[in-house]
Amino acid sequence: MDTAQGRYWLSEPDHPGKKTSACELTGICGGGAGIVLFFLQMAHATGEASYLDDARRGADYLTAVWPNLLGKSVEPSRANLSFYEGIAGIAFALSETSKAMKEPRYQQAALAATDAVAQPMGTETGWTDPAHTADLVLYLLYAARTFHVETYRALAMEAGLRLVAMGKPHECGGMSWQNAGVTSAGQPSLAAEDETAHVSFTLARLFEEVQDSTFLNTSLEGAAHVQSVVTGSGALISYTSASFLSASHPEFGPAITGRARLFYQLYKVTGTDCYREQAEALANAAIRAEESVRHTPNSWETVRQSSGAASLLDLLLDLSAALGNLEYVEIAASLASRIVEQNTDFDGKSYVWDQRFPWIVPSALSAQTGYLTGAAGIGAALVHVALAQRGDLRPIVFPDSPFSDSCKQFTIS
């Protein structure tokens, strides 16, 4: 949708009248920030100017409207500041747009948005959600490196110490972080260990950045807990829930991706082979799960970045680049072919993917456009496979990825 401020995208084009919040319209998860990141990668992959124009128009809109997400009282745990739903993610998208296009106005907007995120980070209020806090820590580390602002790194360290204090010893062993088993949307969490893995990864990243052993030791405690609740060779924690008896699927989406990233990050900072082996075991288990779910009655398969095959695809490409395992590229290419086969012709000229969102309505199908929830993230994963096959994989590296050493940023001329 084109406006005087720029361009935005409907989250569900087949339901144009559906009410959408400002965060849903602009965030990385399901809104314009994620779609801008997708078009930047499409422009790099194809060289077509039209994709660059899409990204520019989307970035213009984000630049104009992000201040509208600021309320009178903004706390760090609120979604409008968060990375995947709020202002931190918009700042990331604008920063990456500035890098790709060499246009300072987007960097200026990204800095202003980052300052808006950083301001409440220095307060004592709102620190109740470990996952949101961890997201903001990771973004601030990215911002400190990108903008050369040491204050952002100091705030990330302070928030990291608060994360350490929020950890609780767990009866199964190690330490855990849980926001009372409730997600940011107020829905029951189907995999409570995801939050612990995410916080532990964040603390390991902080250790890599500032070499404070407090962060590493606490991260290792979190990893010990994650290891204590899985059994076998990279065993999976099922998303199947008593509330969703009509549908089930294996967790080869962000849950397993998050745990694999945690163990690879620990391998990076400790050099301990068992953590690398654990990351590979999780990826291999996810491959087996993805194969089996397509042949299991009463199961359903998703292909999006959130809880879906696109997330697994990107993990395999990352591990391939990091570990030199070319077999993962071949498996990713096969997975990409299956993803393409599952598309739906939307209007005779574009594709969408009908997906289930079981934590909302298990039987409902929705064709969305966002990065985590729909076509943008699926398209980005397909682009990554194509680039990997031609030896030119240079994706945009998100702050929650441990694989930046294996990737390079790209520039669009």
Side-chain angles (χ1 to χ4, degrees):
M1 305 292 288
D2 284 315
T3 72
Q5 296 173 308
R7 180 174 298 168
Y8 69 91
W9 291 267
L10 298 174
S11 60
E12 294 184 58
D14 51 348
H15 297 97
K18 184 176 180 179
K19 186 177 181 180
T20 304
S21 71
C23 287
E24 290 171 325
L25 194 64
T26 56
I28 287 179
C29 180
I35 295 172
V36 165
L37 293 170
F38 166 57
F39 280 125
L40 288 176
Q41 295 177 84
M42 282 294 294
H44 161 67
T46 67
E48 292 188 16
S50 62
Y51 295 127
L52 194 57
D53 182 63
D54 284 322
R56 179 179 287 107
R57 293 287 289 151
D60 289 342
Y61 184 80
L62 295 174
T63 298
V65 305
W66 75 260
N68 297 339
L69 298 181
L70 290 173
K72 293 181 179 179
S73 176
V74 181
E75 299 175 351
S77 64
R78 287 179 52 175
N80 61 350
L81 287 182
S82 70
F83 182 77
Y84 280 107
E85 296 177 341
I87 294 173
I90 293 173
F92 176 74
L94 291 173
S95 172
E96 292 299 313
T97 301
S98 176
K99 290 180 185 180
M101 298 184 184
K102 303 298 184 183
E103 293 194 19
R105 62 193 177 102
Y106 296 130
Q107 183 182 34
Q108 294 166 2
L111 267 169
T114 303
D115 286 338
V117 171
Q119 183 176 0
M121 291 286 284
T123 70
E124 294 291 334
T125 61
W127 296 89
T128 59
D129 188 324
H132 276 172
T133 302
D135 280 342
L136 295 180
V137 167
L138 293 171
Y139 173 70
L140 287 175
L141 291 178
Y142 162 89
R145 295 190 308 273
T146 300
F147 304 127
H148 308 290
V149 178
E150 186 60 32
T151 303
Y152 298 153
R153 183 175 287 103
L155 284 172
M157 289 180 61
E158 180 182 343
L161 292 173
R162 290 173 177 173
L163 284 173
V164 170
M166 279 192 272
K168 305 292 183 184
H170 197 279
E171 60 183 10
C172 294
M175 186 173 290
S176 69
W177 289 262
Q178 295 178 18
N179 188 26
V182 177
T183 69
S184 60
Q187 299 295 327
S189 173
L190 299 185
E193 311 314 322
D194 298 353
E195 195 159 358
T196 292
H198 183 48
V199 172
S200 298
F201 170 83
T202 301
L203 296 176
R205 270 289 296 119
L206 273 167
F207 171 75
E208 183 180 24
E209 196 85 14
V210 302
Q211 296 297 301
D212 184 333
S213 60
T214 299
F215 297 129
L216 177 59
N217 292 336
T218 311
S219 175
L220 292 172
E221 285 292 311
H225 173 63
V226 173
Q227 288 174 309
S228 74
V229 296
V230 297
T231 58
S233 178
L236 307 180
I237 301 173
S238 176
Y239 267 112
T240 305
S241 165
S243 301
F244 308 129
L245 294 177
S246 61
S248 64
H249 76 95
E251 45 88 31
F252 51 85
I256 195 166
T257 300
R259 287 195 285 278
R261 287 174 171 175
L262 164 62
F263 291 120
Y264 182 78
Q265 177 66 24
L266 288 174
Y267 167 64
K268 280 178 62 179
V269 297
T270 68
T272 305
D273 285 339
C274 69
Y275 292 128
R276 173 184 54 78
E277 293 165 359
Q278 184 69 54
E280 291 185 280
L282 285 164
N284 293 334
I287 293 168
R288 294 192 298 271
E290 193 279 329
E291 289 282 352
S292 66
V293 72
R294 291 178 290 112
H295 307 291
T296 303
N298 301 320
S299 292
W300 48 269
E301 182 180 11
T302 63
V303 298
R304 61 184 178 266
Q305 289 279 354
S306 173
S307 306
S311 177
L312 172 59
L313 189 159
D314 275 340
L315 173 64
L316 295 177
L317 293 179
D318 286 334
L319 285 173
S320 175
L323 304 176
N325 186 342
L326 295 181
E327 182 182 1
Y328 282 151
V329 177
E330 297 174 1
I331 296 171
S334 176
L335 185 56
S337 296
R338 293 200 290 271
I339 289 174
V340 171
E341 292 171 358
Q342 290 184 245
N343 75 75
T344 301
D345 188 348
F346 176 63
D347 56 5
K349 60 181 180 181
S350 58
Y351 290 155
V352 296
W353 283 264
D354 292 320
Q355 303 287 284
R356 296 184 190 274
F357 290 83
W359 55 89
I360 301 174
V361 181
S363 60
L365 289 175
S366 176
Q368 299 194 14
T369 58
Y371 202 96
L372 291 190
T373 58
I378 296 168
L382 298 177
V383 167
H384 296 161
V385 171
L387 292 175
Q389 288 177 318
R390 75 186 196 198
D392 188 30
L393 179 58
R394 290 176 288 169
I396 290 174
V397 181
F398 281 56
D400 58 1
S401 171
F403 299 104
S404 57
D405 294 345
S406 308
C407 305
K408 297 179 180 178
Q409 298 294 336
F410 61 83
T411 299
I412 301 169
S413 58

